Amino acid sequence: MTRRPLRRSAAGAIVAVLAAVVLAADQFVKHLTITYLPYGKAVPVLGDFLQLFYVRNPGAAFSIGSGATWIFTTALAIVAVVIVWKAFGLRSRLWAVVLGCLLGGVLGNLTDRVFRDPGFPVGEVVDMISMPWMMPAIFNVADIFIVTGMISVALLVLFGLRFDGTRERDHEAAEKAAAENRDAEKGATEGAAPEASPSSES
């Protein structure tokens, strides 16, 4: 049984609520990090598998572009605006969940860029999660939702799920059926013999 598409207002509400939850969780963890963790010192949680490591990142991943922080602030703002714009036309539950989580992650790091030292628009992002066995980068809750959100977006596009809740294959099947109907009607029209007119006798 196929689920009916969401109303646009319901999809928008899902996006807004999830974004607010992710943003709140990200900022709460960052508050705890600043309050309780020593700066620049690893705190093992599960040995080398998982550590807490409080740092401030002025750049992107791996501190790339630390001298052009305003560019990342602008990029985050643009992404947030695009997601909000797309949310107005959503009718898909999955798209609403994915975009809500992605928006929350984007807003989490954008909040740091805007409000944290050294100030707008070059604020430093608070990072605290380290997994040395997997990658040298230190990340935060917002980063987790951004990465998983982007992967989810790619998967939804790959599987052909549209913003309106329909699937690409359904549209292709409908278009194919319509084309076959048109061809059948055209063939029936061309193949029908013209009605013979009665002949007059002289």
Side-chain angles (χ1 to χ4, degrees), residues 1 14 45 49 56 59 67 87-88 91 95 114 139 161 175-177 181:
M1 181 178 178
I14 291 174
V45 177
F49 181 84
R56 288 177 175 265
F88 284 105
R91 299 194 68 189
W95 270 112
V114 173
F139 52 97
L161 182 63
E175 291 172 359
K176 182 179 179 180
N181 288 337

Side-chain angles (χ1 to χ4, degrees), residues 11-76:
I14 291 174
V15 172
V17 169
L18 287 176
V21 170
V22 172
L23 173 60
D26 174 70
Q27 292 299 308
F28 179 66
V29 171
K30 287 173 179 175
H31 169 73
L32 294 178
T33 298
I34 295 171
T35 304
Y36 297 107
L37 287 182
Y39 186 82
K41 183 179 179 181
V43 178
V45 177
L46 295 174
D48 290 334
F49 181 84
L50 176 63
Q51 298 176 349
L52 298 179
F53 200 115
Y54 171 28
V55 295
R56 288 177 175 265
N57 184 5
F62 306 100
S63 296
I64 296 173
S66 57
T69 305
W70 65 272
I71 295 178
F72 304 114
T73 303
T74 303
L76 288 171

Side-chain angles (χ1 to χ4, degrees), residues 61-101:
F62 306 100
S63 296
I64 296 173
S66 57
T69 305
W70 65 272
I71 295 178
F72 304 114
T73 303
T74 303
L76 288 171
I78 292 173
V79 172
V81 170
V82 170
I83 293 174
V84 171
W85 172 56
K86 289 295 185 181
F88 284 105
L90 281 181
R91 299 194 68 189
S92 164
R93 291 171 179 82
L94 281 177
W95 270 112
V97 170
V98 169
L99 291 185
C101 292

Side-chain angles (χ1 to χ4, degrees), residues 136-162:
I138 302 172
F139 52 97
N140 56 43
V141 173
D143 293 333
I144 294 173
F145 281 96
I146 290 173
V147 172
T148 56
M150 293 304 296
I151 293 173
S152 299
V153 166
L155 290 175
L156 291 180
V157 172
L158 179 64
F159 286 107
L161 182 63
R162 295 188 172 192

